């Protein structure tokens, strides 16, 4: 059996070493691959060139290195009939929950305001609001969204989640569908977006959404850059409709140096680092699924490509 690795940064060696330790019998190759394409049975990839995977006729499964699979769904030549598996592993989940907790607490405790006061050498206390008086709302209640909300439970926030289909989770008010979205937004003071990027969710963080939030709400965008209508965010911040935003993903990455987000005092920016797949832990999830497939068992976390997640 052979597996091909294609990453977006120079981590191919780390992946190869982790996989060799976890599954010594697996023949691991890093992209670009110059051997016989027919010898490759599995692909572990992030943002492969369009049409690249179609050239491997014996693929049994395609594993996404990241939680999102839009980088594969956008390929018109993706091999038909080959299952696509999204990355679900403890390290990725923990990293996202850490980031979301940091961002939510930052908005809750007015850290953007204090950063501006520091720049002005201004010593002024801002009246605090009890956590129980704020609702944190999660758009997207998959593995990452659910875990992030559960990690926030000890702080005492009111917690809510919205998803396409109904869910029931202890301690979290769950909403679904178009009508549910309106009810969800109306009570959400800190909105976190962890939706998959699909034609239905493209541009969901827009003026219409912002106008349904309470005055002074904050937004945390950690799903995909395509969720956010950038001009609508700037207008909502400048008008005071929103109090601030934490952004980790963008329509164009790296974010252009002249982009207005860089200089905006109500925006906190990070370079798409909210959660990173760690080869040491993630390879265990990949290996476990390969073992399942080789044993004739169904793969776990297979993507429904029609829905996009």
């Amino acid at each position: 059996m052979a597996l091909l690795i294609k990453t977006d940064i120079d981590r191919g060696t780390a992946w190869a070493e982790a996989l060799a330790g976890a599954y010594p019998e697996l023949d691991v190759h890093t992209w670009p691959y110059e051997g016989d394409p027919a010898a490759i049975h599995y692909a572990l990839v992030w943002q492969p060139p369009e049409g690249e995977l179609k050239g491997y006729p014996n693929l049994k499964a395609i594993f996404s290195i990241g939680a999102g699979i839009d980088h594969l769904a956008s390929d018109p030549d993706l091999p038909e009939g080959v299952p696509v598996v999204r990355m679900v592993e403890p390290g990725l989940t923990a990293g996202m929950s850490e980031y979301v907790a940091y961002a939510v607490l930052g908005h809750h405790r007015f850290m953007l305001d204090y950063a501006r006061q520091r720049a002005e050498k201004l010593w002024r206390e801002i009246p605090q609001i009890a956590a129980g008086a704020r609702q944190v709302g999660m758009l997207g209640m998959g593995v990452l969204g659910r875990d992030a909300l559960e990690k926030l439970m000890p702080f005492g926030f009111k917690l809510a989640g919205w998803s396409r289909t109904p869910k029931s989770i202890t301690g979290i008010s769950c909403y679904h569908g178009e009508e549910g979205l309106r009810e969800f937004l109306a009570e959400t003071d800190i909105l976190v977006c962890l939706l998959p990027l699909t034609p239905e969710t493209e541009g969901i963080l827009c003026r219409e959404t912002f106008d349904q939030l309470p005055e002074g709400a904050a937004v945390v965008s950690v799903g995909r850059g395509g969720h956010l209508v950038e001009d609508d965010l700037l207008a909502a911040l400048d008008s005071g409709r929103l109090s601030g935003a934490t952004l980790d993903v963008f329509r164009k990455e790296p974010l252009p140096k002249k982009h207005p987000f860089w200089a905006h005092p109500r925006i906190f920016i990070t370079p798409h680092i909210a959660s990173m797949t760690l080869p040491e832990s993630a390879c265990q999830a990949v290996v476990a699924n390969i073992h399942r497939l080789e044993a004739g068992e169904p793969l776990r976390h297979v993507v429904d490509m029609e829905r996009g997640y």
Side-chain angles (χ1 to χ4, degrees):
M1 287 181 295
L3 177 145
L4 176 66
I5 302 169
K6 163 64 174 73
T7 65
D8 61 334
I9 56 177
D10 189 18
R11 290 197 295 170
T13 300
W15 274 102
E17 291 175 352
L19 286 164
Y23 197 167
E25 298 82 8
L26 190 63
D27 189 13
V28 179
H29 302 273
T30 56
W31 189 85
Y33 175 65
E34 298 179 356
D36 180 8
I40 300 298
H41 302 101
Y42 298 98
L44 176 63
V45 298
W46 183 253
Q47 296 180 336
E50 285 190 2
E52 171 71 19
L53 296 176
K54 190 176 182 179
Y56 300 91
N58 294 323
L59 279 180
K60 298 180 180 181
I62 300 168
F63 297 96
S64 173
I65 285 179
I69 57 87
D70 47 290
H71 63 110
L72 293 168
S74 62
D75 185 350
D77 292 320
L78 197 69
E80 293 184 10
V82 180
V84 173
V85 181
R86 59 192 173 92
M87 182 60 70
V88 177
E89 61 94 11
L92 186 69
T93 302
M96 182 60 74
S97 293
E98 291 169 1
Y99 186 97
V100 170
Y102 176 86
V104 167
L105 290 171
H107 288 294
H108 172 56
R109 295 302 302 268
F110 306 109
M111 290 305 168
L112 284 173
D113 297 277
Y114 285 122
R116 189 168 187 177
Q117 288 182 193
R118 177 188 176 188
E120 298 173 358
K121 299 179 181 178
L122 179 63
W123 186 278
R124 183 172 63 199
E125 295 180 3
I126 301 172
Q128 184 54 37
I129 297 173
R134 290 194 196 269
Q135 176 167 295
V136 178
M138 179 69 66
L139 285 171
M141 290 298 289
V143 173
L144 298 181
R146 176 170 177 166
D147 189 80
L149 284 186
E150 289 175 345
K151 293 296 193 299
L152 287 168
M153 285 181 176
F155 294 101
F157 294 107
K158 292 183 290 184
L159 302 174
W162 181 87
S163 54
R164 189 180 69 89
T165 57
K167 295 185 184 297
S168 179
I169 304 170
T170 301
I172 299 173
S173 299
C174 296
Y175 300 83
H176 70 280
E178 187 174 342
E179 182 63 32
L181 181 60
R182 287 192 289 269
E183 296 178 24
F184 164 83
L185 292 172
E187 301 296 327
T188 292
D189 302 292
I190 302 175
L191 178 67
V192 183
C193 183
L194 259 173
L195 288 164
L197 183 61
T198 68
E200 291 73 27
T201 65
E202 170 83 26
I204 192 170
L205 298 178
C206 62
R207 177 180 177 178
E208 181 181 358
T209 295
F210 301 150
D211 284 349
Q212 294 180 70
L213 294 168
E215 188 86 14
V219 170
V220 178
S221 179
V222 283
R224 287 289 181 266
H227 290 136
L228 178 63
V229 179
E230 297 180 346
D231 288 343
D232 287 3
L233 175 66
L234 290 169
L237 291 170
D238 291 342
S239 70
R241 155 58 53 185
L242 296 180
S243 62
T246 294
L247 309 178
D248 183 61
V249 289
F250 306 89
R251 288 183 176 269
K252 185 175 181 180
E253 296 180 356
L255 188 66
K257 293 185 182 298
K258 293 184 179 181
H259 198 288
F261 283 174
W262 285 113
H264 202 289
R266 309 306 306 176
I267 297 177
F268 182 78
I269 290 172
T270 51
H272 204 147
I273 52 79
S275 187
M276 293 187 242
T277 309
L278 304 177
E280 297 78 13
S281 57
C283 74
Q284 301 296 331
V286 174
V287 166
N289 249 337
I290 291 176
H291 282 313
R292 291 178 66 88
L293 193 59
E294 294 296 327
E297 300 174 6
L299 290 164
R300 299 188 64 199
H301 310 303
V302 174
V303 175
D304 182 337
M305 297 303 287
E306 291 294 323
R307 294 193 305 177
Y309 57 92

